[in-house]
Amino acid sequence: MKASSSGVAGRSRHWGTSQYATTDTASSTGGKTVSYRMPPVTISADRQMDLLAAAVTTCATGRSAAKIRDLVRETGLNRDVTASLRFLTDTGLLTSGPAGWTPTVAGARVGRTWPTDREAARTLFGEVWRDSWVYQLLVASVPAETSLSTEDVAKAMRPYPTSRLTPWVHLVDWLELARYMERADDGTLRLSSTVDRDTRHSRPIDPAPPGPSAATEPGPQLGLVLPLSMNHLEQLNAEDYGAVMRSLATIYDVLSRQRA
């Protein structure tokens, strides 16, 4: 599973430069601020999946978590690894704590299969990623039965016209990897049949972008947990309520390990 270098994402290559290693985009909807942790554009989506597979392999030896040095040794990647791990954490494939990075149940399913059968792993990936913000934003933003360019998909998904487009272009590679989008011979993209159109809904109108925020502390970061009032919780549908509960469970698990 070792490789010699980290490549820039294939189809996103002509947009990406090292200055866009990773981006956090904030979107305010319905009084709630949602932060999107973006993947680094300096590593292709499939190579970032190698990091997930390496974490699974490391933890399969009896380790409770994988250190960054373990993942660098296994994959050969040596730049923007932390940014990639944060993205994998934010989308439900890893958890983070003082000991390092640990695959979730969903992440372990994908990571175990990836080294030996990538097509099967892609199918699993598409299934488990339906709880992620990426899938939810995709079905809320991109019209069905419409042929779009990569840039059109990126523009539809980014929360504000002023947001940098480069990371969202790179995110399209992940949509293809998960089989959420299919590319035609002419290079255009359409939502695939794997996307459940019954879950599609109108995208909320975003208010003006929030002002600059203070820098966040470095280090492993957990997936987002939104501060919700009881009124908000009562208005959630079953799927969103389940996502909130799973996120809270992840936070509780990590905090418990920190206190142990």
Side-chain angles (χ1 to χ4, degrees), residues 53 62 133 136 172 198 224 227 230:
W133 65 260
Q136 300 301 323
V172 176
D198 290 338
L224 176 69
M230 285 302 298

Side-chain angles (χ1 to χ4, degrees), residues 20 27 44 54 87 108 110 130 134 154 173 178 216 244 251 253:
Y20 296 123
S27 172
S44 64
F87 172 71
V110 178
R130 286 172 176 261
V134 178
D173 287 347
T216 57
V244 171
I251 294 291
D253 179 64

Side-chain angles (χ1 to χ4, degrees), residues 5-177:
S5 63
S6 61
V8 177
R11 280 179 287 276
S12 305
R13 183 174 302 157
H14 57 292
W15 284 285
T17 60
S18 59
Q19 63 178 311
Y20 296 123
T22 185
T23 296
D24 296 326
T25 301
S27 172
S28 179
T29 59
K32 300 179 291 185
T33 298
V34 181
S35 294
Y36 302 121
R37 172 79 64 180
M38 303 300 291
V41 303
T42 52
I43 312 176
S44 64
D46 59 341
R47 292 291 281 128
Q48 291 183 62
M49 290 293 279
D50 288 344
L51 288 169
L52 175 63
V56 172
T57 299
T58 300
C59 292
T61 63
R63 297 266 298 277
S64 62
K67 302 282 189 186
I68 288 182
R69 63 174 177 269
D70 300 319
L71 306 179
V72 169
R73 182 179 62 251
E74 287 292 322
T75 64
L77 296 169
N78 53 25
R79 63 181 301 187
D80 296 328
V81 170
T82 299
S84 179
L85 295 174
R86 288 173 174 170
F87 172 71
L88 294 172
T89 298
D90 198 49
T91 54
L93 299 174
L94 293 174
T95 60
S96 62
W101 308 84
T102 304
T104 62
V105 173
R109 289 179 62 200
V110 178
R112 276 196 301 267
T113 310
W114 180 256
T116 57
D117 190 342
R118 292 199 171 187
E119 292 307 304
R122 289 178 63 192
T123 300
L124 283 172
F125 179 42
E127 293 173 0
V128 304
W129 228 31
R130 286 172 176 261
D131 289 331
S132 73
W133 65 260
V134 178
Y135 181 83
Q136 300 301 323
L137 187 60
L138 171 69
V139 298
S141 307
V142 177
E145 308 301 334
T146 303
S147 295
L148 301 167
S149 68
T150 300
E151 186 172 297
D152 288 337
V153 176
K155 287 179 178 178
M157 291 187 67
R158 67 176 175 174
Y160 303 111
T162 55
S163 300
R164 288 187 301 196
L165 189 62
T166 303
W168 295 92
V169 168
H170 180 57
L171 189 63
V172 176
D173 287 347
W174 288 87
L175 302 179
E176 289 189 77
L177 190 67

